[in-house]
C-alpha cells in the first residue's frame, strides 16, 4: 500500500495540546547499572572479562534522574570496546588506580554483603495497644432525671350513680 494513500486526517473535537516545559540541566550522571564479568584471575595473559556501565543524566540540585523510553542522554562505558582499542578489563584494573581500588572494595565487601543478604529481617514488633483512659477521680454526679408527671384521669363520659 503506497504511503500517500493514507487518507485525510481525522479531526478531533478539541485539539490535544502538550504544554511547553522549562529547560532542565543535568550536569551529573547517576549510576543505573554496572555489570562486571571476570571469569579469570588478574594474571598475565588473561584477557577475558568485561565491565559495562550505564549512567543516566542526573541533577543533584533537585535530586532528579532523567529517564526516557528511548534512553535519551544515557552514557555507556564498555570495556573492552572497539573505541578503546579493545583494552581488556584487567588492563583497566591494572592501569587505572581508581578502578583497582573499586574492584578491591567490591571484593572486600562480598563477605559483609553476603551476611546481610542472608540475614532474615527481625520479627516485627507488635504494636502496643493504646492505654485505657483513666477515669476522672471526681466525676460530676449525673443528676436524677425529672420524674414523669402523673397522667390525668381519663373521663369516659359516664358518671357513677352509686
Amino acid at each position: 500500500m503506497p504511503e500517500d494513500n493514507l487518507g485525510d486526517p481525522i479531526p478531533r473535537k478539541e485539539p490535544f495540546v502538550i504544554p511547553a516545559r522549562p529547560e532542565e540541566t543535568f550536569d551529573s550522571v547517576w549510576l543505573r547499572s554496572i555489570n562486571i564479568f571476570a571469569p579469570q584471575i588478574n594474571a598475565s595473559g588473561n584477557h577475558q572479562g568485561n565491565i559495562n556501565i550505564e549512567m543516566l543524566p542526573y541533577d543533584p540540585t533537585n535530586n532528579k534522574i532523567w529517564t526516557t523510553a528511548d534512553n535519551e542522554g544515557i552514557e555507556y562505558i564498555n570495556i573492552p570496546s572497539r573505541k578503546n582499542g579493545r583494552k581488556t578489563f584487567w588492563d583497566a584494573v591494572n592501569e587505572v588506580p581508581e578502578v583497582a581500588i573499586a574492584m578491591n572494595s567490591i571484593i572486600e565487601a562480598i563477605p559483609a554483603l553476603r551476611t546481610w543478604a542472608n540475614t532474615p529481617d527481625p520479627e516485627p514488633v507488635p504494636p502496643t495497644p493504646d492505654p485505657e483512659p483513666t477515669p476522672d477521680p471526681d466525676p460530676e454526679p449525673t443528676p436524677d432525671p425529672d420524674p414523669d408527671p402523673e397522667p390525668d384521669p381519663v373521663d369516659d363520659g359516664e358518671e357513677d350513680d352509686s
Side-chain angles (χ1 to χ4, degrees):
M1 176 184 261
E3 289 184 30
D4 60 349
N5 192 15
L6 295 177
D8 292 330
I10 302 168
R12 295 177 60 98
K13 289 183 180 179
E14 293 183 30
F16 178 74
V17 177
I18 299 173
R21 293 179 23 190
E23 184 177 272
E24 295 178 274
T25 301
F26 296 85
D27 60 358
S28 298
V29 293
W30 182 263
L31 179 63
R32 174 163 76 176
S33 175
I34 182 168
N35 294 306
I36 299 171
F37 177 67
Q40 297 175 313
I41 63 170
N42 186 2
S44 178
N46 288 350
H47 301 293
Q48 291 185 357
N50 59 53
I51 184 167
N52 305 99
I53 298 173
E54 184 177 86
M55 299 167 289
L56 301 173
Y58 177 60
D59 175 3
T61 305
N62 296 307
N63 290 326
K64 184 173 182 182
I65 301 169
W66 179 257
T67 58
T68 63
D70 64 354
N71 291 334
E72 179 184 27
I74 290 184
E75 292 182 38
Y76 300 94
I77 299 174
N78 297 302
I79 307 293
S81 73
R82 287 185 213 111
K83 183 187 282 188
N84 67 19
R86 298 280 183 196
K87 294 176 185 174
T88 71
F89 168 70
W90 289 117
D91 289 342
V93 172
N94 293 330
E95 296 173 13
V96 182
E98 294 84 353
V99 174
I101 291 168
M103 189 66 180
N104 286 330
S105 295
I106 291 168
I107 291 168
E108 290 172 2
I110 296 296
L113 180 59
R114 181 187 297 127
T115 299
W116 178 83
N118 294 328
T119 302
D121 285 340
E123 290 295 321
V125 177
T128 56
D130 290 337
E132 292 292 326
T134 56
D136 194 4
D138 294 325
E140 291 292 321
T142 307
D144 291 335
D146 290 337
D148 290 336
E150 291 292 326
D152 290 336
V154 178
D155 184 14
D156 57 4
E158 293 182 22
E159 288 188 27
D160 190 13
D161 291 336
S162 25

